[in-house]
Each structure stands twice: as C-alpha cells, then as structure tokens.
Amino acid sequence: MNIEYHEATDTSSKEDIASILERGRAIFRASDDTKTMSNADWRTRLADAIGKSGKSKRAVSLASGNGPGYVHSIIAEGKDPTITNLLAVCDAIPVSMVYILHGHEMTPEDALLLKELHRHPSKRAAIQSLLKPE
C-alpha cells in the first residue's frame, strides 16, 4: 500500500498532517494498491461477512464500540471508516480486515511472515530481491 506523506513546511501543516494520521486516515496515491477501496467490492464483502456471521449490522456496530447505525452508514450510505473502526468492526464479526479490503484470506502463517518481514528489514529486502522478475 502506498501512502503519500507530504513534507510540512510550517507548524500548522504539520499539525494538520498529524491530526489526519491520528484519525487513521492518510492520503493514498492513485495506484493498483488502493483500487480495492475505490470500488464497492469491500463493502459487499463486509455485508456478506456480517450476513454469514448471523449478526445484525446493529449488533456488529455496538460490539465494535460504535453507534447502532455505524455499520449501516458504511455499507448503505458510503461512509468511509477509520482504520481503527474498520478493524473493530472486523473483530466483532469476526473476519480478517485483509479479506474485507482485498478479498484474500490471511492465514496465521501469512500474518507471521508479514510480522517477521516488518521486524527484519534486511530479510524483507532479500525476499523482495528473490521475487523481482529478471
């Protein structure tokens, strides 16, 4: 996922950027990485996951620590959730946020691999070099 960080030139713009990031939102560059969020597929996957869970949107909203109509506002009204709130909604179902956003299940092994790659940048660089086409 490509996140574009803007260099702040004064205190007020630094505070603006900090407040945006603190709320769990960032400015994403238009790319294939973020294509999933630009269409309604993730909302459909979220609605389907809630349906399969047997829980109501209201129950999931409340279990995620939000108001009773929060999930409805995401699915039906197009509200964009913060990362923190979407994670809480996914935990309340329960379903993987990776699946909701990208349509791919993440196994525990996948999660462990990502965690290790994050903790060890040199390993990440080595694996990336192996994956690059010649």
Side-chain angles (χ1 to χ4, degrees):
M1 183 176 300
N2 296 320
I3 301 174
E4 183 176 316
Y5 296 98
H6 297 276
E7 183 65 34
T9 57
D10 62 22
T11 304
S12 63
S13 60
K14 286 180 184 177
E15 290 169 355
D16 291 343
I17 292 169
S19 65
I20 289 168
L21 294 174
E22 185 175 292
R23 288 192 314 263
R25 294 180 175 91
I27 301 166
F28 292 96
R29 282 186 260 153
S31 71
D32 289 339
D33 292 343
T34 59
K35 184 190 293 185
T36 324
M37 291 299 288
S38 67
N39 62 39
D41 290 351
W42 73 272
R43 293 178 202 277
T44 302
R45 284 189 292 273
L46 180 60
D48 290 346
I50 292 170
K52 289 177 184 174
S53 75
K55 298 176 181 178
S56 68
K57 289 186 275 188
R58 184 181 199 289
V60 172
S61 293
L62 294 172
S64 68
N66 291 290
Y70 185 73
V71 170
H72 174 80
S73 69
I74 293 171
I75 294 171
E77 298 170 7
K79 178 180 178 119
D80 288 328
T82 64
I83 293 169
T84 303
N85 282 343
L86 182 57
L87 184 57
V89 167
C90 290
D91 287 345
I93 295 173
V95 65
S96 161
M97 190 163 74
V98 170
Y99 172 73
I100 295 300
L101 294 177
H102 300 287
H104 303 287
E105 288 292 343
M106 181 178 283
T107 66
E109 293 81 10
D110 296 336
L112 179 61
L113 179 61
L114 288 174
K115 184 177 181 180
E116 287 300 310
L117 291 175
H118 179 72
R119 286 180 26 189
H120 303 285
S122 61
K123 290 180 183 178
R124 178 178 44 227
I127 290 175
Q128 286 175 329
S129 70
L130 291 172
L131 297 175
K132 288 182 184 174
E134 294 180 30

